[in-house]
Amino acid sequence: MVVWDEENVVHLLKRAGFGPKPSDTKKFLKRGHALSVEILVGQKPSKAKGPGKAVNDKAELRKLTGWWAKRMEKQNTRRLQEKMVLFWHDHFSTQFSVVKNVRRMSYQNRTFRQFGLGDMRTLLWEVTRDAAMLDFLDGDKNKKNSLNENYGRELLELFVLGVFSFDGSEENYTQDDVIATTRATTGFRIDRNKDVGYFDPGRFDDGAKTIFAGKPFEATGNLGVEDGNGALLPPATNILDVLFTHTDSSGNLTMPRFIGKKLWEYFAYPNPSATLIDEITVNFRANGYVISDLLRDMLLHEEFYSAAAKASTVKNPCEFLFGSMRALEAKSKHTNTAIALEDMGMELFEPPSVNGWSNGLPWLSSGQMLARFEVGQAIAAGRDKNLVLLKPSKIIPKNATTADEIVDEILHRLGVANITPAGTRTALIDYFEGETDFESETVIETKVRGVIALALQIPEAHIH
Amino acid sequence: MNISRRRLLQGGAVTGATMAIPGPLQRALFGSRPARAAGPTNPCLVMVQLEGGMDGLNTVVPVDDVGIHLQRTAYENARSSIELSLADLAGTHIGTDPVKGNTLALHPALADVKTLFDLGKVAVIQGVAYPNQNLSHFRSEDIWFSAEPVLPFSDGWFGRYLDSYYSSSDLVTVDVDSTLSKMFLCQLGCNVLAMKKLSQFELPDDDLHPDPVAKKTALETIYGVEADPGATTGLQNTVGVSGDVLIGKIDEYAAISTNWGSNLESVGGSIAKRLLEVSSIIRHDAVSGTPVGAKYFHVRQGGYDTHTNEGATTGRLANLFDDLGPALKAFYDDLQDVNTEAGSNVSDDVLVVLFSEFGRRVAENGGGGTDHGSASVMFAIGDCVNGGIYGEMPDIASPDSKGNLVHHTDFRQVYASIIDNWLQSPGDHLPLLPGAPWPTIPFL
């Protein structure tokens, strides 16, 4: 049984979204644990799509980034849905610098919004025929008698199975399996007028293939994904479903453990036990691999609220920026957000490789830590409507008379009051008090902004 | 340097003598060369990662058949649209394969590397890979970063080096990248700066803080607290410690100029920009009275995953080499200029090593490119290098069952050579590299 207190509410909202506004915390506290989680995971698919011209133009891409940033920062009921769009963008990592077409990126972004909480099979199919992905991993060049292994390999390695079994003792597939997967995913093309993918049976390698030869889950057939009319082929011989049948030598299904672990590490902490992952994937495995089932079981699990799960991972730049804005009730048109995120190492639509971003401590490399100091300062300055507008008068308690009250309010809003060391709090108070002229409102406001800037530079503001 | 830890790791049983005698096979492969008279006084290492899997077979290319070694014929049979013709290669011959005898040439876009080769400053090490090649980029990178081809990644080979010879308060390593390479990950909390540009190296300046000194004092106080294990633990403390080190170093690094007339300024591409950061730090430490003490560097050039449009004299690989070759030459020239400016042979202390996670398939694929492969070629560059061609080119006509070149030199031999013959002394690689002892290669 999870105690439904403020600490756990804040923890949930930081992880399963982009952090709470003060009013969110109160609302979710009242709702109780089960209802809170249900509101987050139970969202219907959204077809919302950002601006996307069919051009290779960074300025146009930044419009798309700004549109998405606004959703991440503002969404209340759909906050987990947007978080999952970010997760899938990281998982099915695709680079604009290769795709060179903003419309294709915006379509892919919509795909994650529309299918990101649904079943794995559909999501994977949509990704397999996604124009940006076909372009990025050369799926459109992979055809009968002229194979290109790029997508087939990443499908096994990064998207569905992983190189090793959960405990690292077995390799999940061989080069022969890569080739079988590559042959099975031949035939997809891009309609260059519409910027959408489609299946061309004439390019499909229809020959018999065997994958996972000699294993209990060996499959033979043409293993194709679609028929010629845009419909999925039956599970028994569809390569996507065949991959889901893969197990380790003890019979544990590989995909649920792979995706379950990745979600747990993204939302909770690194290196979870197999037992834990098996627990949070019970319903996922039983009912057709629906992602919201997995998320629900994860967010309801007691371990998600354990001490080990708190202050256990570094916020990614979106979590830091949007979380700080929400906590401080700041506003933005988000036209400059793309640049701030880039500075902090998270250029949306341009992950560093097909393996996505390195989450966790790598976010706080020296250069990126300094970039975060800079962004923290910009949030506190709060004078750029395209990045952040912030009014300290909204934040300072009306009847505050001491530096302690102001510092405590800021730390409380940021959700770090309970973990900030006493010495850090004292340093912030001393900074505020190191001033003589408290008669001037301008001086006080500047000082409050200065304290906010420093509070956004303490370690606690960057972890959760 | 942490002497006591170094002694501890070496133990009593292991001595340099174990490594002194190369076997007959090693002699056949690598010949024997005189050892350097004296080691470097302040060895610097610049690891250049060519990310994505560089096509070694279009980097060093056979131009003839010799006796039973029909390397050129096999090359031409395997490749069509990406084949480099004899005419393409006419200006970049570098000599003959030490074992097979075939004449070899560099990709024509590497003409600048050929210039350095002719000066005796480049070692070309052929046929390098690891056993049971995994064709995944990320698994393969993990193996190169960790020097551990069997177990899942746990730490970096250079991280182990840092753990053995330095303490966590030493800051001797800079990764010119937005995040830290896994080659530097270590167990004992070594600190490595990771930053794309020295110009990033400053605390934000803003009129929010009319008194910037008060702000910096507050920040120093805060990170002093956060780094104190009595005040914080776990991740909070880890972030606190790295922030504390960073804030302590800011003024030193901010003082480094990148605007000093580097040869790299006129070279295009990101790799030149990143090498400029390295040469600026090396220059700063050589000519200023306040060295920052950084000696080990990692830079990265991405884009070598040429599944499509790899091209021959033009195309993706040529474009990458058009950036890489001039950047390596300009970096070398920078060091010569620093020699003059500093009045000492700084360049003798700088070793550049190029590596990639794997080579590519022998046969061209359907998209005018190549899929992931195995054995490839490495380069070592610098005034400290015994220039020449090492090892033999794998037999192109007899790839493994997957169509990939069969390696004969384990990449850990190169690492062992760097540790034993450059950074430390013979035998010192033993506790650092899985599978040791490794025979060294006399390119240093």
Side-chain angles (χ1 to χ4, degrees):
Chain A
M1 188 66 190
V2 176
V3 179
W4 204 236
D5 56 10
E6 184 175 320
E7 182 181 309
N8 285 334
V9 169
V10 170
H11 177 65
L12 173 70
L13 294 177
K14 280 184 171 181
R15 302 300 180 96
F18 296 90
K21 291 178 183 170
S23 58
D24 290 337
T25 309
K26 288 185 194 122
K27 270 186 223 157
F28 278 84
L29 200 49
K30 267 191 217 152
R31 283 173 179 150
H33 190 188
L35 180 59
S36 294
V37 169
E38 202 51 43
I39 283 173
L40 296 173
V41 304
Q43 291 306 312
K44 294 210 177 81
S46 163
K47 291 187 181 179
K49 180 179 75 65
K53 291 186 187 161
V55 293
N56 178 15
D57 181 339
K58 201 80 179 269
E60 289 298 320
L61 182 74
R62 284 185 176 155
K63 286 184 193 163
L64 175 62
T65 304
W67 175 86
W68 186 18
K70 202 178 281 177
R71 286 185 73 87
M72 286 192 266
E73 186 245 310
K74 288 196 192 315
Q75 280 297 328
N76 287 321
T77 53
R78 294 186 180 276
R79 67 184 87 203
L80 176 59
Q81 193 171 59
E82 289 303 325
K83 190 69 168 274
M84 286 304 291
V85 176
L86 189 61
F87 173 83
W88 291 122
H89 176 39
D90 197 338
H91 185 78
F92 296 112
S93 173
T94 303
Q95 298 172 326
F96 172 72
S97 60
V98 174
V99 175
K100 298 186 170 75
N101 182 320
V102 182
R103 185 157 70 160
R104 291 181 192 178
M105 299 312 290
S106 82
Y107 286 161
Q108 189 188 69
N109 186 257
R110 178 179 61 187
T111 292
F112 297 149
R113 195 166 289 108
Q114 194 174 351
F115 301 101
L117 294 171
D119 70 279
M120 270 301 285
R121 183 175 190 242
T122 308
L123 175 64
L124 210 52
W125 176 35
E126 292 292 338
V127 168
T128 300
R129 54 163 25 241
D130 172 72
M133 181 59 84
L134 284 168
D135 196 342
F136 183 56
L137 291 183
D138 303 319
D140 61 331
K141 315 219 172 37
N142 181 32
K143 52 195 173 190
K144 186 165 89 179
N145 298 328
S146 180
L147 300 180
N148 187 307
E149 293 172 12
N150 209 356
Y151 183 71
R153 177 180 310 283
E154 305 309 4
L155 191 59
L156 297 180
E157 178 185 342
L158 299 175
F159 301 161
V160 185
L161 300 177
V163 173
F164 291 108
S165 58
F166 191 92
D167 66 3
S169 68
E170 302 167 30
E171 292 203 10
N172 284 333
Y173 54 88
T174 64
Q175 175 63 14
D176 290 343
D177 300 329
V178 171
I179 291 171
T181 307
T182 299
R183 290 177 63 202
T185 50
T186 48
F188 287 94
R189 304 180 68 172
I190 299 169
D191 180 331
R192 287 172 199 280
N193 294 318
K194 295 180 182 162
D195 285 320
V196 295
Y198 68 101
F199 179 68
D200 174 356
R203 284 197 181 188
F204 176 61
D205 176 347
D206 196 27
K209 308 144 186 110
T210 297
I211 189 168
F212 306 131
K215 303 279 184 184
F217 44 88
E218 172 183 314
T220 301
N222 78 21
L223 304 179
V225 177
E226 289 190 23
D227 64 16
N229 302 314
L232 265 176
L233 287 165
T237 59
N238 182 325
I239 184 69
L240 303 180
D241 293 276
V242 167
L243 298 184
F244 296 167
T245 66
H246 186 286
T247 68
D248 64 18
S249 57
S250 312
N252 300 296
L253 284 169
T254 306
M255 184 277 281
R257 280 189 164 187
F258 178 67
I259 296 293
K261 181 183 182 197
K262 191 149 182 186
L263 282 166
W264 184 269
E265 294 197 321
Y266 199 79
F267 284 88
Y269 59 71
N271 302 316
S273 72
T275 314
L276 175 64
I277 298 307
D278 290 348
E279 282 172 19
I280 64 167
T281 55
V282 168
N283 289 305
F284 181 66
R285 281 177 279 132
N287 301 313
Y289 306 123
V290 177
I291 293 139
S292 58
D293 283 345
L294 203 172
L295 291 170
R296 181 185 300 105
D297 288 352
M298 174 172 78
L299 300 176
L300 288 174
H301 202 287
E302 220 166 321
E303 181 64 14
F304 190 82
Y305 304 87
S306 65
K310 290 176 182 160
S312 61
T313 187
V314 175
K315 293 174 182 172
N316 68 43
C318 287
E319 291 169 328
F320 167 65
L321 176 58
F322 305 140
S324 305
M325 289 180 63
R326 292 177 67 89
L328 301 169
E329 295 177 78
K331 288 181 179 171
S332 175
K333 293 187 163 186
H334 289 295
T335 38
N336 284 342
T337 298
I339 297 163
L341 293 174
E342 273 176 54
D343 288 348
M344 294 188 285
M346 195 172 206
E347 185 176 358
L348 295 176
F349 304 105
E350 198 61 48
S353 77
V354 63
N355 202 14
W357 285 281
S358 300
N359 291 296
L361 214 43
W363 285 122
L364 291 182
S365 68
S366 355
Q368 293 178 179
M369 197 174 205
L370 290 173
R372 286 190 183 210
F373 286 6
E374 195 88 50
V375 170
Q377 186 101 345
I379 294 169
R383 58 169 88 91
D384 178 357
K385 66 177 189 295
N386 296 316
L387 182 61
V388 178
L389 281 181
L390 180 136
K391 285 191 182 150
S393 57
K394 271 193 175 177
I395 296 163
I396 309 173
K398 291 214 163 51
N399 41 11
T401 52
T402 65
D404 297 40
E405 287 169 273
I406 291 169
V407 168
D408 287 344
E409 173 65 18
I410 292 166
L411 294 176
H412 180 245
R413 275 178 174 261
L414 293 175
V416 299
N418 54 343
I419 56 168
T420 303
T424 296
R425 176 176 174 272
T426 308
L428 292 171
I429 292 166
D430 288 349
Y431 173 79
F432 193 89
E433 287 176 341
E435 178 62 58
T436 45
D437 177 17
F438 281 113
E439 297 306 309
S440 151
E441 278 189 26
T442 322
V443 168
I444 294 176
E445 189 188 311
T446 304
K447 208 70 194 186
V448 170
R449 288 186 191 273
V451 171
I452 293 172
L454 284 169
L456 291 172
Q457 295 175 33
I458 67 176
E460 291 72 25
H462 299 275
I463 64 178
H464 62 187
Chain B
M1 183 182 294
N2 189 327
I3 299 291
S4 60
R5 193 185 296 139
R6 181 182 173 189
R7 289 212 181 106
L8 197 76
L9 269 174
Q10 280 187 337
V14 173
T15 69
T18 329
M19 298 306 305
I21 309 157
L25 176 65
Q26 286 306 115
R27 263 196 298 280
L29 283 173
F30 301 116
S32 60
R33 284 172 184 266
R36 264 175 313 119
T41 50
N42 179 35
C44 293
L45 177 65
V46 184
M47 295 297 288
V48 179
Q49 182 188 352
L50 308 173
E51 190 182 60
M54 182 186 72
D55 184 11
L57 198 49
N58 262 22
T59 306
V60 177
V61 190
V63 298
D64 56 16
D65 292 337
V66 173
I68 58 163
H69 303 297
L70 307 178
Q71 295 281 70
R72 180 69 200 177
T73 302
Y75 172 81
E76 291 181 2
N77 287 343
R79 299 184 160 199
S80 50
S81 80
I82 63 168
E83 178 200 317
L84 291 161
S85 72
L86 296 180
D88 296 337
L89 298 165
T92 48
H93 288 201
I94 54 168
T96 54
D97 187 304
V99 177
K100 291 190 167 79
N102 309 82
T103 303
L104 303 173
L106 296 179
H107 190 291
L110 291 176
D112 277 339
V113 176
K114 149 88 173 156
T115 303
L116 293 177
F117 186 92
D118 291 345
L119 293 170
K121 308 300 183 190
V122 179
V124 176
I125 308 160
Q126 303 196 88
V128 187
Y130 57 83
N132 302 317
Q133 185 74 35
N134 187 303
L135 301 184
S136 146
H137 291 292
F138 307 104
R139 176 63 191 143
S140 205
E141 280 184 1
D142 279 358
I143 290 169
W144 277 83
F145 290 146
S146 62
E148 170 54 76
V150 181
L151 303 173
F153 183 91
S154 65
D155 53 12
W157 74 277
F158 210 84
R160 293 195 292 275
Y161 178 81
L162 294 172
D163 270 350
S164 302
Y165 292 97
Y166 296 94
S167 73
S168 59
S169 58
D170 295 324
L171 215 169
V172 289
T173 310
V174 175
D175 198 332
V176 187
D177 213 329
S178 45
T179 56
L180 191 60
S181 164
K182 287 168 105 174
M183 72 177 266
F184 296 126
L185 293 186
C186 58
Q187 303 288 346
L188 302 176
C190 56
N191 276 293
V192 179
L193 291 183
M195 44 146 211
K196 270 194 197 157
K197 287 181 190 164
L198 285 162
S199 59
Q200 289 176 332
F201 243 72
E202 53 182 17
L203 285 176
D205 187 21
D206 195 278
D207 58 2
L208 285 186
H209 302 283
D211 183 356
V213 177
K215 180 188 74 168
K216 186 150 192 253
T217 306
L219 210 50
E220 280 167 351
T221 310
I222 287 169
Y223 271 88
V225 170
E226 300 283 351
D228 174 4
T232 53
T233 55
L235 183 61
Q236 256 177 299
N237 186 257
T238 305
V239 176
V241 169
S242 59
D244 193 36
V245 172
L246 175 62
I247 290 164
K249 282 282 174 182
I250 277 187
D251 292 344
E252 278 180 46
Y253 274 85
I256 300 174
S257 166
T258 51
N259 184 19
W260 52 278
S262 163
N263 299 282
L264 286 153
E265 280 180 24
S266 56
V267 180
S270 66
I271 185 68
K273 290 194 177 68
R274 293 179 179 204
L275 282 171
L276 171 62
E277 305 294 318
V278 178
S279 73
S280 297
I281 294 171
I282 292 174
R283 171 188 171 268
H284 173 87
D285 276 17
V287 304
S288 88
T290 52
V292 297
K295 308 203 287 186
Y296 312 121
F297 304 90
H298 170 258
V299 296
R300 185 172 59 93
Q301 184 193 23
Y304 284 90
D305 194 20
T306 49
H307 285 280
T308 57
N309 186 27
E310 181 174 322
T313 54
T314 59
R316 286 169 68 187
L317 188 62
N319 291 343
L320 290 162
F321 286 162
D322 279 340
D323 286 347
L324 178 66
L328 292 170
K329 172 73 162 51
F331 182 80
Y332 179 85
D333 292 343
D334 270 4
L335 295 177
Q336 307 308 309
D337 292 350
V338 171
N339 284 348
T340 308
E341 190 181 353
S344 65
N345 285 332
V346 176
S347 64
D348 284 349
D349 286 346
V350 182
L351 170 65
V352 178
V353 175
L354 276 58
F355 73 103
S356 188
E357 70 264 34
F358 43 59
R360 306 195 74 81
R361 199 73 44 86
V362 173
E364 186 172 332
N365 70 15
T370 44
D371 290 322
H372 302 179
S374 177
S376 190
V377 60
M378 292 180 76
F379 292 82
I381 304 174
D383 281 340
C384 54
V385 165
N386 296 321
I389 302 171
Y390 295 81
E392 67 176 309
M393 179 176 286
D395 200 349
I396 301 170
S398 312
D400 65 17
S401 60
K402 315 295 180 210
N404 292 323
L405 294 173
V406 179
H407 81 290
H408 56 69
T409 296
D410 193 290
F411 72 114
R412 286 166 291 185
Q413 290 180 245
V414 178
Y415 289 178
S417 309
I418 294 169
I419 295 166
D420 285 10
N421 300 336
W422 181 243
L423 301 174
Q424 298 295 335
S425 305
D428 285 345
H429 80 272
L430 291 177
L432 299 173
L433 299 179
W438 289 103
T440 56
I441 304 167
F443 63 92
L444 285 161

